[in-house]
């Protein structure tokens, strides 16, 4: 009984920690899981996501939305809403598709996984800002495309590694991964379109219409 009481106290001792300690502990978990996305294929990612949370995916989604809003100054609110809806509605659709195909995984666990797997796309969006400010226009276009392509591939690989371990029937694994690829391709395309539109607007200055000469109101005298 004494050992059971000690285990109970150890398990729930976080109630005595300060607010700052709780925030710092949650931040360490979020940053550790972001790092695990860059090492697909390890079992630690699945073990981590068994204890799912949505703080990390929310932070990644908000950061990506803010970055794209900074590029679309005239339609910032519309871009923010579209990105936010695409991320969360797309995650829900991919999750339901995996469950209908027989994957043994909870709904929020898959949403948590897809949210963390968006982290490479967030980094590519941040790199696109850097390319636009320090490189020429033609070179920036090439590096934007390369950065987003690598990010989409890495995000898909990380998500596929996890979904392949959810007991999906072998013949249906491709059907479960196809919406994941479309989901990350949509996010990557939004990043490319957002930065390309910003570059087009800044590259072409508004055309100035020369003033028309005023018509003389004087009439010739006979």
């Amino acid at each position: 009984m004494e050992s059971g009481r000690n285990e109970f106290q150890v398990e729930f001792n976080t109630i005595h920690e300060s607010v700052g300690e709780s925030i710092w502990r949650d931040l360490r978990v979020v940053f550790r899981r972001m790092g695990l996305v860059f090492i697909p294929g390890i079992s630690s990612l699945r073990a981590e996501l068994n204890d799912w949370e949505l703080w990390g995916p929310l932070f990644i989604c908000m950061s990506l939305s803010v970055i794209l809003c900074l590029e679309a100054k005239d339609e910032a609110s519309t871009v923010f809403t579209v990105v936010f809806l695409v991320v969360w509605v797309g995650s829900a659709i991919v999750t339901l598709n995996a469950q209908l195909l027989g994957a043994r995984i909870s709904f929020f666990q898959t949403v948590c996984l897809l949210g963390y797997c968006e982290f490479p796309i967030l980094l590519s969006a941040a790199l696109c800002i850097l390319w636009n400010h320090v490189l020429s226009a033609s070179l920036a276009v090439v590096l934007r495309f390369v950065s987003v392509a690598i990010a989409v591939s890495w995000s898909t690989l990380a998500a596929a590694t996890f979904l392949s371990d959810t007991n999906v029937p072998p013949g249906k694994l491709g059907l479960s991964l196809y919406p994941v690829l479309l989901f990350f391709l949509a996010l990557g395309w939004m990043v490319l379109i957002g930065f390309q539109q910003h570059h087009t607007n800044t590259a072409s200055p508004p055309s100035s219409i020369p003033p028309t000469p005023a018509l003389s109101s004087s009439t010739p005298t006979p």
Side-chain angles (χ1 to χ4, degrees), residues 8-10 12-19 21-22 25:
F8 179 85
Q9 293 175 353
V10 171
F12 293 93
N13 62 354
T14 56
I15 195 173
H16 300 293
E17 66 182 7
S18 63
V19 176
E21 292 175 348
S22 299
R25 174 171 51 82

Side-chain angles (χ1 to χ4, degrees), residues 20-120:
E21 292 175 348
S22 299
I23 294 176
W24 178 241
R25 174 171 51 82
D26 292 339
L27 286 176
R28 289 200 304 268
V29 172
V30 170
F31 291 143
R32 183 173 67 249
R33 292 178 176 179
M34 287 181 181
L36 290 176
V37 173
F38 288 95
I39 316 174
I42 61 176
S43 59
S44 301
L45 180 59
R46 179 172 176 80
E48 284 279 344
L49 294 180
N50 285 331
D51 184 19
W52 59 266
E53 43 80 25
L54 298 179
W55 290 113
L58 180 61
F59 169 77
I60 295 173
C61 174
M62 295 287 287
S63 301
L64 182 60
S65 301
V66 169
I67 289 177
L68 295 181
C69 284
L70 294 177
E71 297 300 315
K73 298 179 181 179
D74 298 334
E75 301 178 352
S77 59
T78 303
V79 171
F80 184 91
T81 304
V82 170
V83 174
F84 198 86
L85 287 177
V86 168
V87 168
W88 291 104
V89 174
S91 299
I93 293 175
V94 171
T95 301
L96 290 176
N97 176 73
Q99 289 184 333
L100 290 175
L101 291 175
R104 297 180 181 178
I105 186 173
S106 67
F107 179 84
F108 289 107
Q109 190 177 7
T110 310
V111 172
C112 178
L113 162 76
L114 294 175
Y116 276 107
C117 290
E118 296 164 15
F119 184 56

